[in-house]
Structure formats: C-alpha cells, structure tokens
Amino acid sequence: MTEVGNIVTLENGQEYLVLEELSKDNTRYVYSVRILQDDTPTDEYLIFEAINNEGEEYLKPVEEKEKYDALIEDFKDIIADKIINFANEDFEMEEEA
C-alpha cells in the first residue's frame, strides 16, 4: 500500500514522492510530486487514483479536469488543516514553557 512519505516508481521510470492521501467516494487518491534521481523535488505535481487489483496496488493519474480540480481543493483543505493544527500545537507548547 502506498503511504505518505513513500517514493513510488512508475512504469516509465519516473519517481514520485507521496505527499498526502485522501479517500473520497470509496476511492483512495494520493497527491505527489515528481522527484529526480537525487530525490530533489520538481515542480511537477500529480494526483493518482490508487487501484487495488488482486492484492497489488497500482497508481493511475487522474486525467479528468473536473475531478482533478475537485480533488486538488480537497487536498488543499487537508494541508491547510495540518498547517493550522501544527501552528496551534506550537503555540500551546510555547504557552506551557
């Protein structure tokens, strides 16, 4: 199973770092950035649909524009929530000190 923080290699040899995941309509999606051989991130981001077939997981790029646009908004919300939670945790730690 593909998890956040993992690097996946596609059939074409390109590697992607999984940045975030979400489930929507009983389907799992992963947001990722293409990385170079030295693990340097590029400016190429993709959303993949995770497809399970006989116990194997495959990643299929989301190509439908409407679906991609809706998913990118969902991912933005998840990331924004994490940033807010991180900031709140940091603030609470400062208050305790």
Side-chain angles (χ1 to χ4, degrees), residues 69-97:
D69 290 347
L71 288 167
I72 200 71
E73 291 302 318
D74 292 339
F75 279 113
K76 283 181 185 178
D77 291 343
I78 291 170
I79 293 167
D81 288 345
K82 285 188 175 186
I83 291 170
I84 290 168
N85 289 338
F86 179 77
N88 287 340
E89 288 174 10
D90 192 38
F91 181 73
E92 289 171 4
M93 288 178 63
E94 286 180 9
E95 285 185 338
E96 292 174 4

Side-chain angles (χ1 to χ4, degrees), residues 16-28:
Y16 284 82
L17 172 64
V18 177
L19 301 173
E20 194 55 71
E21 65 183 347
L22 69 81
S23 291
K24 185 175 185 173
D25 301 325
N26 296 322
T27 303
R28 197 166 78 82

Side-chain angles (χ1 to χ4, degrees), residues 5-9 15-17 33-42:
N6 284 358
I7 294 173
V8 295
T9 304
E15 293 186 325
Y16 284 82
L17 172 64
V33 61
R34 190 171 76 81
I35 58 172
L36 303 175
Q37 286 182 336
D38 64 355
D39 294 342
T40 302
T42 66

